[in-house]
Amino acid sequence: MNSYVVNRYNVPTPGATSQLLTFPADGSAGVLQFAAHQDRTKVIYLSVTGAGVFMTIDGSTPAVNNHHKLYAGNNYYFNSELIRVAKFKNDNTASATGLIYASELTN
C-alpha cells in the first residue's frame, strides 16, 4: 500500500499561505504558474470554480490540443512537485472566469 493512501489525512502546512490563480474568460491572463511553496509541503489541494482550466506538467504550454482539463466544481489533490512544474491556462471555450485556489498540506 502506498504511503499516500495510508497517510491521506493531511493537515495544513504551518506558515503556508493559500494561493489563487484567476483566468478571465477572454484569455487575458495567459499562462500562469503557482509561486513557490513551503519545503515541508507534500500535497497541494486545488479547488476549481467558475470555469474549467487547462493544465500541463511537461513544460509545454497548455492549448486546446495539449492539456489535462481541471473541471469547475471539482477538487484535486496533487503532489507538490507536480504543481511546482505545472502550467495553467483558461479553457478557450469558457464563458466565465476560472479560479484555482490552492492550499498546501503535509502529513
Side-chain angles (χ1 to χ4, degrees), residues 21-75:
L21 297 181
T22 303
F23 301 90
D26 66 5
S28 61
V31 175
L32 300 177
Q33 290 184 277
F34 284 104
H37 52 266
Q38 299 280 333
D39 290 338
R40 297 174 297 219
T41 297
K42 306 255 189 255
V43 176
I44 306 289
Y45 179 65
L46 300 179
S47 294
V48 181
T49 59
V53 297
F54 296 158
M55 175 182 84
T56 58
I57 57 173
D58 62 358
S60 64
T61 299
V64 174
N65 61 351
N66 179 43
H67 67 272
H68 298 282
K69 184 166 181 179
L70 303 181
Y71 290 90
N74 288 326
N75 301 309

Side-chain angles (χ1 to χ4, degrees), residues 70-91:
L70 303 181
Y71 290 90
N74 288 326
N75 301 309
Y76 302 90
Y77 283 96
F78 289 111
N79 175 285
S80 60
E81 182 62 18
L82 183 141
I83 294 300
R84 185 186 68 76
V85 300
K87 294 181 179 181
F88 302 91
K89 185 179 182 308
N90 75 310
D91 176 347

